[in-house]
């Protein structure tokens, strides 16, 4: 009892019991967000800011040429009109890749959600993620063995029709799209799967009991409710695809010149970092303008 009195007396201040003052809310919030935003600053924002500064320079800062800040690099599309055609080609490749991924990914996600359960679904999800477990360069080079003349595709055809000609289409834009779809399709499947698995089965059962056909359920119920997943997958695919350079260079050959390959050449071959940086930010501005233009449509689709 005497010890308890001593402890109680020590905890009392001159004006009564001593109480711990809680930390302000902003302290705990800052402590939680600081590691994440610190890493984003170091790994994303700081490199982007550096490249943005480079894009206004007249020469690469590591060289011996005098550095002058100028807007000349951003006139590349005016001074070199062939870049406009390359940019349009990159946007078209991005569009077709995103479209094929949306169709195939949505149907695959519907099959996963509506037709599989338990361990079967888990096994199929693992198989979908397999492309992420292999090196991208290996995946692309494997397609050269499939799509080239007298490759796997031709061999399979000649087993069925020995007198048929070659159907290999390596070093074409179609081959580039095939390689990109293979690499980015899992993004669309996963985003659509997450959106579809959250749909209440009672909605589908109610539609079926009211006589709705499967295509009505697919296009009038599942697609509108899964629109957030489709939109998220389209953004995740379109933005990196238009800047890709590995698939166009390996599968496209001479016709695989895209903005990604041009930008890579400026950094690795021509050592013209300011031009490469300006082309990168110009491409980024075009992408943001496209999404800003269609933001109303995307927002309506998400709300639906």
């Amino acid at each position: 009892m005497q010890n308890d009195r001593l402890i109680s007396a020590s905890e009392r201040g001159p004006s009564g019991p001593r109480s711990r003052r809680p930390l302000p809310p902003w302290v705990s919030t800052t402590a939680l967000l600081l590691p994440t935003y610190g890493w984003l600053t170091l790994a994303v924002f700081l490199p982007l800011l550096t490249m943005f500064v480079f894009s206004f320079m007249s020469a690469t800062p590591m060289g011996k040429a005098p550095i002058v800040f100028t807007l000349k690099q951003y006139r590349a599309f005016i001074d070199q009109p062939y870049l406009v055609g390359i940019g349009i080609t990159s946007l078209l490749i991005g569009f077709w890749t995103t479209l094929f991924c949306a169709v195939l990914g949505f149907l695959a996600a519907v099959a996963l959600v509506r037709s599989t359960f338990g361990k079967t679904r888990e096994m199929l999800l693992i198989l979908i993620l397999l492309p992420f477990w292999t090196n991208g360069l290996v995946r692309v080079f494997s397609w050269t063995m499939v799509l080239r003349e007298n490759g796997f595709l031709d061999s399979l055809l000649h087993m069925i029709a020995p007198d048929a000609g070659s159907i290999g289409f390596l070093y074409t834009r179609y081959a580039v799209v095939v390689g990109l779809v293979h690499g980015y399709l899992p993004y669309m499947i996963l985003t659509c799967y997450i959106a579809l698995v959250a749909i209440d089965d009672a909605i589908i059962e109610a539609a079926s009991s009211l006589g709705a056909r499967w295509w009505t359920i697919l296009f009038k119920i599942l697609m509108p409710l899964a629109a957030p997943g489709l939109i998220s997958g389209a953004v995740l695919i379109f933005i990196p695809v238009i800047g890709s350079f590995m698939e166009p260079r390996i599968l496209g050959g001479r016709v695989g010149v895209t903005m990604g390959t041009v930008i890579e050449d400026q950094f690795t071959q021509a050592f013209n970092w300011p031009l490469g940086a300006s082309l990168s930010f110009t491409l980024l501005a075009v992408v943001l303008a496209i999404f800003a233009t269609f933001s109303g449509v995307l927002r309506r689709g998400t709300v639906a």
Side-chain angles (χ1 to χ4, degrees):
M1 290 293 291
Q2 186 176 2
N3 291 336
D4 293 341
R5 290 194 191 98
L6 291 175
I7 294 173
S8 299
S10 64
E11 289 180 350
R12 291 175 180 273
S15 59
R18 184 184 301 170
S19 61
R20 294 183 178 180
R21 300 168 66 182
L23 293 173
W26 66 268
V27 175
S28 57
T29 303
T30 303
L32 290 172
L33 295 180
L34 188 60
T36 301
Y37 280 96
W39 173 251
L40 283 175
T41 301
L42 291 175
V44 179
F45 298 127
L46 190 59
L48 280 177
L49 180 61
T50 303
M51 285 294 105
F52 186 67
V53 174
F54 281 3
S55 68
F56 293 100
M57 294 182 178
S58 58
T60 304
M62 278 68 74
K64 296 182 179 180
I67 302 299
V68 177
F69 287 92
T70 176
L71 294 173
K72 182 185 69 174
Q73 309 298 346
Y74 284 95
R75 291 177 48 90
F77 285 91
I78 300 174
D79 299 335
Q80 306 175 49
Y82 74 93
L83 290 175
V84 177
I86 295 175
I88 293 174
T89 299
S90 301
L91 292 174
L92 288 175
I93 290 176
F95 169 77
W96 286 113
T97 301
T98 306
L99 179 63
F100 284 125
C101 285
V103 174
L104 297 175
F106 180 74
L107 294 178
V110 170
L112 276 175
V113 173
R114 307 303 306 173
S115 303
T116 60
F117 304 92
K119 291 184 178 181
T120 303
R121 180 183 295 180
E122 294 175 1
M123 182 185 67
L124 290 175
L125 282 173
I126 291 174
L127 291 176
I128 289 170
L129 293 174
L130 273 179
F132 290 116
W133 298 356
T134 58
N135 185 273
L137 197 59
V138 174
R139 295 200 307 266
V140 177
F141 271 111
S142 66
W143 276 110
T144 63
M145 300 295 103
V146 175
L147 302 178
R148 68 181 177 87
E149 188 175 353
N150 297 323
F152 177 79
L153 201 60
D154 274 359
S155 300
L156 189 62
L157 174 65
H158 293 157
M159 289 175 60
I160 303 172
D163 298 329
S166 175
I167 58 172
F169 54 93
L170 185 63
Y171 303 133
T172 63
R173 292 194 179 102
Y174 303 107
V176 174
V177 172
V178 168
L180 289 169
V181 169
H182 174 236
Y184 289 93
L185 182 59
Y187 289 107
M188 185 64 73
I189 295 177
L190 291 177
T191 53
C192 290
Y193 171 80
I194 293 172
L196 288 168
V197 79
I199 298 175
D200 192 352
D201 291 337
I203 299 176
I204 311 300
E205 294 172 0
S208 300
S209 64
L210 292 173
R213 302 290 186 179
W214 66 267
W215 56 83
T216 304
I217 296 175
L218 180 65
F219 292 106
K220 294 296 183 70
I221 298 176
L222 292 180
M223 282 190 65
L225 292 177
L230 279 167
I231 294 171
S232 300
V235 174
L236 286 174
I237 292 171
F238 184 78
I239 292 178
V241 160
I242 61 173
S244 61
F245 60 89
M246 185 169 59
E247 292 87 352
R249 191 175 295 282
I250 296 174
L251 299 176
R254 291 180 298 176
V255 301
V257 180
T258 62
M259 288 304 299
T261 61
V262 172
I263 292 171
E264 187 216 6
D265 287 339
Q266 298 304 316
F267 280 100
T268 60
Q269 302 295 328
F271 205 63
N272 190 351
W273 289 19
L275 180 57
S278 65
L279 292 177
S280 300
F281 280 100
T282 302
L283 190 62
L284 177 62
V286 171
V287 172
L288 293 177
I290 292 173
F291 281 108
T293 302
F294 293 99
S295 61
V297 177
L298 298 179
R299 193 178 301 110
R300 286 197 296 270
T302 305
V303 173

